[in-house]
Amino acid sequence: MNRQPLDGVTVLDFGQVYNGPYCGFLLAQGGARVIKVESRIGETLRARGATSTASYPFALLNTNKECITLNIQSAEGQALLKRLAKNIDVVFENFAPGTMDKYGIGSDALRALNPRLIYASSTGYGTEGPYRDFLGMDITLQAMTGVMSITGEEGGPPLKTAAAFADFIAGTHLYAGIVSALYAREQSGEGATVDISMQDCVFPTLATALGSYYVAGAQPTRAGNRHPGRALAPYNVYRTSDGHVAIICIREGHWRKLCQAMDQPELLQDERFATTALRCENMEALDALVTRWTGRHTKAEIFAIAQSHGVICAPVQNLGDVVSDPHLAARGSLEARGHPQLGEIAQLHTPLRFRDLAPPPLTDVPPLGRDTAQVLAELASVDDEELERLRAAEAV
């Protein structure tokens, strides 16, 4: 492979916040020409201000994109999008359900103008079904899908994960749907409408908890850092002299290796821990034994011992550790780059890798609307005079 796999594909990215923009990021890193389309005040993250907690995710997710403004609420803006749609491959969005249809620029309208067009949307619950019109964000999807019901400590309230995993897993599926449709178009010559539901995307992540639910016939209690079904032990986060480590034993061989790593081979003869089932029955005593061992060492020491014995283990890293992780740096996954407000930040290259093909270099996020004139001239034949009229009409 001597060029990026999506080279030659042109995309209009109407993504907002995390879900859609992450899909656009993956497409751009795959070599597609991604044109970010924003309102005249900018999409949600940009509009929060130059220096805020939104500054980093906005920079992370919108590199390698061109940027235009387009007012889809105006008749002229809608007409302009229809002109653009004739010369592009993909339109995607993660607006509230029905937003684009309300303005006459949804899938049916745009694909009628360009039968090869792929129109993709990611919403909370998809375009069909009784939840269709429900608004969805990461936290509400964690609630609706049951993720919060199994997250937290036993006896405590439901908790969300701090990581916005529902948004990002939906963005990944949106990308997969678009790429699948592009492949199908190569065979048929026809475009497609891609419908991604965040609820659908999150459901498979419940596999372990649902296994416990079906076996027990009831909702499992929240287990904190332990196995959701309390079906494996050791399986927890354990205190060290300077933090915590995560340790898990899935098979009998893992348990034997952990006993060797702890220099406690006698535990292999302890009837309380003779099988996985017995170790789970005696989970409190077992976790106490492991904690006594880990508590005498640092995270790094435990990790080194575990690695040398083939024990599944990892230190609990903080955010400072993560952004300076030597493995991510060595793989080229993270790159330290300057940011006008935040200083030096760690930015991500695509997780999708191909042998002998480096990801494209990262670029800075363009100022709002920087590429409007160029893109409209190239893809919609808008000359300078028309551009001034469109600006005066607040269409762009």
Side-chain angles (χ1 to χ4, degrees):
M1 187 182 297
N2 56 13
R3 65 175 190 166
Q4 298 296 335
L6 298 179
D7 185 37
V9 174
T10 302
V11 179
L12 290 186
D13 169 356
F14 284 88
Q16 306 284 303
V17 192
Y18 296 160
N19 180 337
Y22 185 58
C23 170
F25 168 82
L26 293 174
L27 290 166
Q29 287 279 290
R33 179 186 184 185
V34 177
I35 301 166
K36 184 175 180 66
V37 186
E38 300 181 71
S39 72
R40 297 175 68 250
I41 63 170
E43 71 117 312
T44 304
L45 291 188
R46 189 196 292 268
R48 288 184 188 172
T51 305
S52 72
T53 54
S55 300
Y56 178 77
F58 186 77
L60 179 76
L61 299 177
N62 293 292
T63 183
N64 294 79
K65 300 178 184 180
E66 298 169 60
C67 177
I68 68 172
T69 57
L70 186 67
N71 181 3
I72 63 171
Q73 296 180 350
S74 75
E76 295 221 50
Q78 294 156 16
L80 195 54
L81 175 55
K82 290 177 179 179
R83 287 164 63 181
L84 288 168
K86 296 176 183 179
N87 297 300
I88 59 173
D89 300 290
V90 178
V91 172
F92 76 83
E93 44 92 358
N94 63 307
F95 291 129
T99 296
M100 299 288 267
D101 286 323
K102 178 173 67 174
Y103 296 119
I105 49 176
S107 173
D108 291 345
L110 297 185
R111 289 188 60 206
L113 297 169
N114 178 2
R116 286 177 55 81
L117 179 69
I118 292 157
Y119 185 102
S121 65
S122 176
T123 57
Y125 303 96
T127 59
E128 297 178 336
Y131 295 174
R132 176 191 182 279
D133 294 323
F134 291 0
L135 300 179
M137 295 293 285
D138 191 275
I139 186 173
T140 60
L141 266 296
Q142 291 193 39
M144 186 67 88
T145 57
V147 170
M148 290 176 68
S149 77
I150 61 171
T151 305
E153 296 292 341
E154 185 173 2
L159 291 177
K160 75 176 186 71
T161 68
F165 89 98
D167 274 333
F168 281 90
I169 197 171
T172 305
H173 281 75
L174 183 59
Y175 168 87
I178 290 169
V179 173
S180 298
L182 286 169
Y183 179 80
R185 190 180 72 175
E186 289 298 305
Q187 320 306 311
S188 69
E190 297 180 8
T193 299
V194 178
D195 171 21
I196 301 298
S197 156
M198 293 174 71
Q199 185 183 33
D200 291 350
C201 298
V202 172
F203 181 86
T205 69
L206 301 169
T208 298
L210 287 172
S212 301
Y213 167 78
Y214 281 117
V215 169
Q219 169 89 13
T221 58
R222 285 182 280 279
N225 290 315
R226 287 174 167 165
H227 187 271
R230 291 176 172 78
L232 292 173
Y235 184 118
N236 210 335
V237 170
Y238 301 94
R239 178 177 42 79
T240 67
S241 63
D242 63 346
H244 295 82
V245 294
I247 295 175
I248 174 175
C249 292
I250 300 175
R251 297 188 290 271
E252 289 300 320
H254 295 142
W255 167 239
R256 291 193 293 271
K257 290 175 180 178
L258 178 59
C259 291
Q260 294 166 2
M262 294 192 298
D263 196 22
Q264 296 185 65
E266 68 278 5
L267 293 178
L268 294 173
Q269 310 307 318
D270 193 316
E271 293 183 357
R272 296 175 299 168
F273 311 134
T275 66
T276 297
L278 288 169
R279 289 194 292 276
C280 290
E281 286 181 21
N282 296 284
M283 190 178 292
E284 296 291 344
L286 180 54
D287 279 348
L289 284 170
V290 176
T291 300
R292 280 201 291 273
W293 172 62
T294 59
R296 296 194 298 267
H297 302 276
T298 65
K299 291 188 296 183
E301 289 168 345
I302 291 293
F303 187 45
I305 295 169
Q307 290 299 102
S308 67
H309 286 81
V311 174
I312 305 172
C313 172
V316 177
Q317 298 201 116
N318 61 32
L319 297 181
D321 297 328
V322 172
V323 297
S324 57
D325 188 290
H327 180 75
L328 290 174
R331 274 182 56 80
S333 300
L334 291 185
E335 178 183 339
R337 304 184 75 244
H339 185 278
Q341 284 81 40
L342 301 179
E344 186 175 274
I345 60 174
Q347 285 196 252
L348 179 71
H349 283 275
T350 174
L352 306 171
R353 298 301 184 88
F354 302 90
R355 181 175 293 180
D356 302 324
L357 184 66
L362 296 175
T363 65
D364 294 332
V365 179
L368 180 63
R370 183 194 69 182
D371 304 297
T372 302
Q374 175 190 337
V375 169
L376 294 185
E378 179 184 348
L379 298 178
S381 301
V382 172
D383 60 22
D384 292 343
E385 182 179 349
E386 185 179 9
L387 181 62
E388 289 307 311
R389 183 180 62 77
L390 290 167
R391 284 177 170 158
E394 298 185 350
V396 296

